[in-house]
Amino acid sequence: MRKVMILNGPNLDQLGTREADVYGTLTLAEIESLCKAAAVTLDFEIDFRQSNDEATLIGWLHEAAKSELPVIMNPAAFTHYSIAIRDAAAMLTAPLIEVHLSNPIAREEFRHTSFISGIAKGTISGFGANSYLLALSALAKL
Ligand code: DQA
């Protein structure tokens, strides 16, 4: 069974009530359950984490790099301005897949820049919780 880290950035702990028109009504715990259910058929072991803190996310990326784990990451707002998250993610040796619930390119201009996309294997955006499940099935085929 292959281990996968799924990392979530700031404010994603508020899903369910946070801008439901943009992000949907599922909580992050419900998205985690969906990922874990999908992982059974894909033979993945999921390590699902969320933090509002940049340093914590960087520490988790270092951990994934050391353990050579693939990472699916929704960096949330850090996507658009954190060079530190990008630098930590660049140390990964296994694939990184960037995910977003919404489609940032279809939103405000400040969301059009991603510091992560350039070092990710690919990006899946705009499919709500399904973005995470699509990332898992893409990873299974790599
Ligand atoms: C997000 C998109 C980001 O622009 C935003 O800052 C988020 C969530 C998404 O999943 O759609 O917090 O990453």
Side-chain angles (χ1 to χ4, degrees):
M1 194 181 284
R2 205 169 161 210
K3 208 169 160 180
V4 185
M5 228 187 237
I6 303 185
L7 301 182
N8 295 279
N11 302 308
L12 294 172
D13 55 337
Q14 300 303 309
L15 290 177
T17 52
R18 177 193 179 197
E19 297 179 85
D21 51 324
V22 179
Y23 299 117
T25 52
L26 291 183
T27 64
L28 194 62
E30 287 168 334
I31 294 175
E32 178 176 1
S33 297
L34 290 173
C35 289
K36 288 192 168 159
V40 173
T41 42
L42 296 170
D43 204 29
F44 281 136
E45 184 191 333
I46 305 281
D47 184 352
F48 195 98
R49 306 181 189 185
Q50 187 277 333
S51 179
N52 294 324
D53 175 48
E54 190 176 22
T56 302
L57 288 161
I58 290 168
W60 290 342
L61 286 165
H62 292 171
E63 197 184 318
K66 267 193 208 108
S67 309
E68 299 178 2
L69 293 179
V71 173
I72 293 170
M73 176 164 62
N74 184 346
F78 288 140
T79 308
H80 313 301
Y81 69 92
S82 178
I83 296 169
I85 298 265
R86 179 200 167 101
D87 285 349
M91 288 184 237
L92 296 169
T93 51
L96 166 69
I97 301 181
E98 176 187 3
V99 297
H100 298 282
L101 296 154
S102 67
N103 178 4
I105 301 298
R107 300 180 62 196
E108 303 96 322
E109 206 172 329
F110 65 86
R111 295 184 203 277
H112 296 183
T113 299
S114 169
F115 281 92
I116 307 302
S117 299
I119 49 152
K121 181 80 186 161
T123 301
I124 301 171
S125 301
F127 299 99
N130 211 21
S131 292
Y132 288 75
L133 305 181
L134 290 166
L136 277 169
S137 63
L139 187 62
K141 292 188 184 101
L142 287 177

